[in-house]
Amino acid sequence: MRCSISKLISLSALAVSTVSAAWRFQDGSVSIQTKGAGVGSGQKETLSSNSERSKVLSLGVADTLKIVLTTLDGSTPKRPHQAFLTLRQQEKELEESFPLSVKDNGKAKVELTQKDLPFQFLTSSKPIEVKIVLASFGSTGPLVQPVFKLDVPRDSASPISIPEPPQRYGKLEEIHHIFRADPQSPPVVISGFFTLLIIGTVPVLLAGWVLLGANFTHLNKALNGAPVSHALFFGSIVAMEGVFFLYYTTWNLFQTLPVAGLLGVVAIVSGSRALTEVQERRLAGER
């Protein structure tokens, strides 16, 4: 099947026109208004979807940047699926986009202040590239057009709030633990004073036994009746005092508790049998 040259030319032109159709905007303007300066003050510049302005605009701490434009699908005002104002910092390879508020008739606007910008933009020493990005579904090509450059001067009286860097997991420095020193016994003078004070109560204890009628003549009968029980009971009491002394001087709690528990069991069992022997002599009228 043959095609005429005229038909080929017409088809080629149609294909080129379809591919070259892209989103654009018209009636674009950018204005920077200082807070409290009044209506009509500040600077205002026109924007084009085909070129970038050579003039660098300045956005101060108290300024508001406002961009107004009309989006076009070919030559028809229309609302695109995506419409962004994109800021890019080449030095730090940082990019941030802000959506434009677009109506169905293509009227779009966006407002920015320094508070809306990431702190990385505020610490940059070079101008920021500002682009208009328009795109949508269909055969119409997108628009990514640099429109101007923006300078963001800082006020020395308003320091930048820079957040702490995020925590990164990795190798940390070696940690040297410093443990608390073991508790020390009181001074020897204080320990000796209380030791003598306790030993001094022994004569008082013996005198109390005599006044209460303690009968030491039954010692032989008690030892003959239950020698093992009396010996273990008395020995467990003395050994318990020795355990307390060792805990006070050298032992720790983990060394003291097992020995004290064992001596406690021996004291309970032997003491019970020793008291049984004493009760038998009391019931026999020997005490």
Side-chain angles (χ1 to χ4, degrees):
M1 182 178 180
R2 288 188 171 183
C3 293
S4 64
I5 298 176
S6 59
K7 288 184 178 181
L8 290 175
I9 294 174
S10 61
L11 290 174
S12 300
L14 179 62
V16 170
S17 62
T18 303
V19 173
S20 61
W23 282 92
R24 61 190 184 90
F25 64 87
Q26 67 181 9
D27 302 330
S29 65
V30 55
S31 60
I32 297 179
Q33 181 75 28
T34 303
K35 184 178 180 180
V39 180
S41 61
Q43 52 182 331
K44 184 175 182 180
E45 304 289 342
T46 59
L47 300 178
S48 173
S49 60
N50 299 320
S51 60
E52 178 183 9
R53 295 194 62 86
S54 59
K55 182 179 179 180
V56 179
L57 303 182
S58 179
L59 179 65
V61 177
D63 296 342
T64 300
L65 182 145
K66 182 178 181 181
I67 294 180
V68 178
L69 52 86
T70 301
T71 59
L72 301 175
D73 183 359
S75 59
T76 305
K78 190 176 180 180
R79 179 181 180 180
H81 179 255
Q82 294 179 340
F84 291 101
L85 177 70
T86 301
L87 277 62
R88 179 173 177 80
Q89 209 334 299
Q90 297 287 352
E91 181 184 5
K92 298 183 178 180
E93 297 183 354
L94 178 66
E95 188 173 279
E96 181 68 24
S97 296
F98 300 90
L100 277 75
S101 175
V102 187
K103 297 181 179 180
D104 293 336
N105 59 1
K107 298 292 184 179
K109 67 175 182 179
V110 64
E111 294 185 2
L112 289 179
T113 62
Q114 283 197 11
K115 295 181 180 180
D116 300 322
L117 302 180
F119 72 92
Q120 291 90 343
F121 285 114
L122 303 179
T123 57
S124 176
S125 59
K126 293 185 178 181
I128 302 170
E129 182 183 20
V130 181
K131 296 183 292 185
I132 298 294
V133 178
L134 303 176
S136 188
F137 300 108
S139 60
T140 306
L143 171 70
V144 182
Q145 175 61 46
V147 286
F148 61 89
K149 286 184 171 55
L150 183 66
D151 188 20
V152 187
R154 290 299 304 171
D155 186 3
S156 58
S158 302
I160 303 175
S161 178
I162 300 177
E164 294 292 333
Q167 183 179 3
R168 303 294 184 184
Y169 292 98
K171 184 179 180 180
L172 300 178
E173 296 182 359
E174 183 180 0
I175 299 176
H176 297 278
H177 294 281
I178 301 177
F179 297 95
R180 186 176 59 183
D182 294 334
Q184 303 295 326
S185 300
V188 179
V189 177
I190 298 178
S191 300
F193 171 76
F194 283 99
T195 302
L196 294 176
L197 190 64
I198 294 173
I199 294 176
T201 60
V202 175
V204 178
L205 178 63
L206 295 177
W209 283 351
V210 173
L211 293 176
L212 294 175
N215 192 351
F216 292 100
T217 58
H218 284 203
L219 181 60
N220 291 330
K221 292 183 179 181
L223 294 177
N224 291 332
V228 178
S229 299
H230 285 289
L232 289 177
F233 180 67
F234 182 76
S236 63
I237 295 177
V238 175
M240 187 67 74
E241 296 297 331
V243 169
F244 289 153
F245 176 77
L246 291 175
Y247 175 66
Y248 184 75
T249 54
T250 57
W251 282 9
N252 55 36
L253 189 62
F254 297 100
Q255 293 174 308
T256 304
L257 289 179
V259 180
L262 179 61
L263 292 177
V265 173
V266 173
I268 292 173
V269 176
S270 60
S272 176
R273 296 184 179 181
L275 290 176
T276 301
E277 188 275 332
V278 173
Q279 185 180 15
E280 291 176 355
R281 287 189 286 112
R282 181 181 291 111
L283 293 176
E286 298 179 359
R287 287 179 58 85

